[in-house]
Amino acid sequence: FNVRFPADHLFGGVHETVALDRSEGVTPGQREMLINITMNRAGACRVSKYTDLVRVIAPAIQHTGPAELQLARFDSVFLDDQFDNGSDGEVYEYEYVYYPLTTRSGDPQDYKLPQPDGVTGKSIRDYGDDKENYRWQFLKKNNRNRDEYQGLMDFAKTCGTTGAYFNDHVSNIIDVDQWLGAFAIAVACGAGDSYGGDNAQHNIQLYVRPSDGRTLYLPHDLDAFYSATRPLVANSDLAKIIASPGYERLYCGHVRDVLNISYNTAYMKHWTDQLGQLLPSQAFGSHLSFIGQRNGFLANEIAKRVAPAYPFTITGYDSTVPDAYATVTGRAWIDVKDVYLRGFQRPLELSWTSTGSGSSKVFYWSATVPLEPGENTLVFEARDFQGRLITTETIAITSTVAERPLRDH
């Protein structure tokens, strides 16, 4: 349940509302806190949120007990801290429609009983130009007075396409890197009953970023139906995205990074021990064992999908070119997040292909690099998902042009 505070007495001097969550899906528990810790530790492009552990003292003794205190969640405080003019962006919760099946007296007009109930869901796709067709499965979470749905509708329409059109337009409507990082969290934790975990048509929040209109994936409500053997790719939208070799490599790299950085027993033992001491009635020892099982299962699934580790190398280029630009090709395993040309602040824009399949699949990149007249010594830096330098490769290319032409930016 939520608690709202008056404007002159905000919680912690910051929060107008906080939420108290005492459920672990269908049972009481605070296991989801381990997933929030995983997201915080993993960092990179994975959006996270901060929570704390509290005790609820309720009027009825059976309702008294521990709870997860959800602070900023994905509200204006969080958005403004994470993004430029963040709260100007629109947040929607992709959710099922739940409806009661019975009433107190049997008269359809009488008070509805919450149980038993029915549920229906819809895929993310084109429902036309009327926002009323989107409202009930994409619940408005902020800026409700605007009642703005255009960015969400643009996203849904493109997300519902397939084939070449989807491949050509997906990067225009979503931040693909961020989505694959968010999928990695949802998949790594093994929770079901969520959009990323098992293709459920709910339990995700969508944020239309004001800076570029792209939609971000905010992992949400990962607290139920855990399985150590949940597939590496269960979501049909994820499967469409990673049909592209570059995105498949990026997704596997994100999952591997989460497993190495945070969702492993070596790191999480500190937290399961701490929470286990505070909450001795909950099975945090078993939760740690699950993390080890899930980590091993996903590492094996990645090994079935890509070749064993191979070094970052440059495989092709012309040593002399009659141009101010040159094409350089190479190969990179899933440990490489970005490739930089030394002297430039932004990573290179890479095109990706692959050869082989399954455990023999190898990924190759191609980049166009700028040259100065004469001999150029080019240093390529391969960096991992935490921005750390893995290795460098140095080549020399001579440009025979007399002077460097201006290029449109």
Side-chain angles (χ1 to χ4, degrees):
F1 60 92
N2 296 334
V3 180
R4 182 174 296 276
F5 298 87
D8 61 347
H9 196 70
L10 301 178
F11 185 84
V14 176
H15 301 291
E16 181 180 345
T17 68
V18 298
L20 292 158
D21 186 350
R22 295 183 291 180
S23 73
E24 200 169 280
V26 295
T27 59
Q30 283 68 57
R31 184 176 182 177
E32 189 176 9
M33 292 188 70
L34 298 176
I35 303 169
N36 294 329
I37 291 168
T38 298
M39 287 192 283
N40 286 328
R41 168 74 171 176
C45 68
R46 293 174 278 271
V47 175
S48 186
K49 58 184 177 181
Y50 179 77
T51 63
D52 208 343
L53 182 66
V54 296
R55 180 173 176 81
V56 175
I57 301 174
I61 188 64
Q62 65 267 30
H63 298 151
T64 294
E68 178 187 23
L69 178 66
Q70 300 178 347
L71 298 170
R73 288 100 76 205
F74 298 126
D75 67 8
S76 295
V77 171
F78 172 89
L79 297 173
D80 283 334
D81 277 350
Q82 296 295 316
F83 308 100
D84 291 337
N85 302 313
S87 61
D88 290 342
E90 310 295 330
V91 181
Y92 309 85
E93 184 172 344
Y94 180 36
E95 204 23 288
Y96 288 140
V97 175
Y98 296 87
Y99 54 92
L101 299 175
T102 58
T103 66
R104 184 179 57 178
S105 65
D107 180 350
Q109 302 304 319
D110 200 355
Y111 292 115
K112 310 301 185 291
L113 300 179
Q115 296 292 334
D117 67 345
V119 62
T120 185
K122 290 187 175 182
S123 60
I124 302 176
R125 61 179 177 84
D126 186 351
Y127 292 101
D129 297 327
D130 185 351
K131 62 187 174 184
E132 298 304 321
N133 296 332
Y134 300 81
R135 186 181 302 281
W136 301 109
Q137 64 266 30
F138 299 101
L139 306 176
K140 198 77 178 67
K141 301 294 288 186
N142 71 337
N143 301 327
R144 287 172 174 159
N145 57 319
R146 296 181 193 166
D147 201 31
E148 174 57 55
Y149 270 80
Q150 189 58 54
L152 183 281
M153 292 192 293
D154 292 342
F155 155 77
K157 289 178 180 181
T158 300
C159 192
T161 62
T162 59
Y165 185 90
F166 177 83
N167 295 335
D168 291 343
H169 292 83
V170 63
S171 62
N172 296 329
I173 60 153
I174 68 172
D175 182 330
V176 177
D177 188 21
Q178 189 277 326
W179 271 69
L180 296 179
F183 269 122
I185 290 291
V187 169
C189 71
D193 192 37
S194 76
Y195 171 77
D198 65 359
N199 211 38
Q201 295 166 327
H202 75 148
N203 282 345
I204 171 180
Q205 295 200 19
L206 301 164
Y207 171 59
V208 181
R209 186 167 55 193
S211 61
D212 59 7
R214 287 184 173 90
T215 298
L216 305 190
Y217 171 2
L218 308 181
H220 171 64
D221 205 14
L222 303 170
D223 68 354
F225 307 119
Y226 293 93
S227 170
T229 57
R230 200 170 295 284
L232 178 65
V233 181
N235 180 278
S236 58
D237 293 329
L238 171 61
K240 285 195 300 182
I241 295 171
I242 66 172
S244 164
Y247 293 153
E248 179 185 22
R249 194 197 71 90
L250 186 60
Y251 172 63
C252 290
H254 271 299
V255 175
R256 177 182 177 273
D257 185 61
V258 170
L259 299 180
N260 287 347
I261 294 296
S262 57
Y263 205 69
N264 57 73
T265 56
Y267 176 72
M268 295 302 293
K269 186 176 187 303
H270 167 80
W271 298 105
T272 55
D273 285 352
Q274 185 179 78
L275 290 170
Q277 290 175 8
L278 295 169
L279 306 171
S281 65
Q282 297 188 31
F284 279 95
S286 296
H287 298 342
L288 183 65
S289 296
F290 175 90
I291 290 171
Q293 296 167 15
R294 184 64 177 158
N295 184 297
F297 175 82
L298 288 176
N300 188 55
E301 290 297 290
I302 292 173
K304 294 177 183 178
R305 199 172 187 109
V306 303
Y310 47 85
F312 173 82
T313 55
I314 291 175
T315 58
Y317 63 95
D318 293 331
S319 58
T320 302
V321 296
D323 199 350
Y325 298 90
T327 298
V328 179
T329 60
R331 68 177 188 173
W333 195 55
I334 63 172
D335 58 338
V336 176
K337 171 66 160 56
D338 293 303
V339 179
Y340 286 79
L341 186 60
R342 184 169 292 175
F344 293 82
Q345 293 185 341
R346 293 185 177 181
L348 291 169
E349 293 186 9
L350 305 177
S351 298
W352 291 92
T353 58
S354 63
T355 60
S357 61
S359 59
S360 63
K361 183 176 290 185
V362 176
F363 296 97
Y364 292 87
W365 57 268
S366 175
T368 300
V369 299
L371 302 173
E372 297 295 336
E375 184 175 349
N376 294 257
T377 299
L378 305 175
V379 181
F380 293 79
E381 300 179 344
R383 296 189 173 273
D384 69 11
F385 283 73
Q386 299 297 314
R388 300 170 298 201
L389 181 66
I390 298 173
T391 189
T392 62
E393 286 282 301
T394 303
I395 61 174
I397 299 179
T398 298
S399 171
T400 59
V401 297
E403 62 181 16
R404 182 170 172 77
L406 295 175
R407 188 182 191 190
D408 293 337
H409 295 281

